Amino acid sequence: AVHVSIDLVLVSTCLAGIKRNTGLTPKVENIGDEHIRGYMIKYLNVGESVYDYTVATAGSSSYFVRK
């Protein structure tokens, strides 16, 4: 269960990176069930949060440099 959870967070984070770099995002309006749509929005927001945290951590680290 933990492995699947981590995989799901990684996919959500990848989608957040795609959104930030290209502007492309999943079209959640096409999801018919409003409960599932709500969970999908929350799922995508988790990826956004992880992406923000990762960028902030890498930006303050001496191991990374902006080019």
Side-chain angles (χ1 to χ4, degrees), residues 9-19 47 51:
V9 171
L10 287 173
V11 169
S12 181
T13 306
C14 181
L15 290 171
I18 291 170
K19 178 181 177 183
Y51 184 86

Side-chain angles (χ1 to χ4, degrees), residues 5-37:
S5 300
I6 292 171
D7 287 347
L8 287 171
V9 171
L10 287 173
V11 169
S12 181
T13 306
C14 181
L15 290 171
I18 291 170
K19 178 181 177 183
R20 297 286 175 91
N21 289 307
T22 67
L24 296 171
T25 187
K27 195 171 185 180
V28 294
E29 297 84 21
N30 287 349
I31 299 173
D33 188 323
E34 65 183 59
H35 288 57
I36 294 174
R37 186 180 324 120

Side-chain angles (χ1 to χ4, degrees), residues 13 16-18 20-21 46-56:
T13 306
I18 291 170
R20 297 286 175 91
N21 289 307
V46 168
E48 293 277 343
S49 296
V50 172
Y51 184 86
D52 288 339
Y53 176 79
T54 303
V55 169

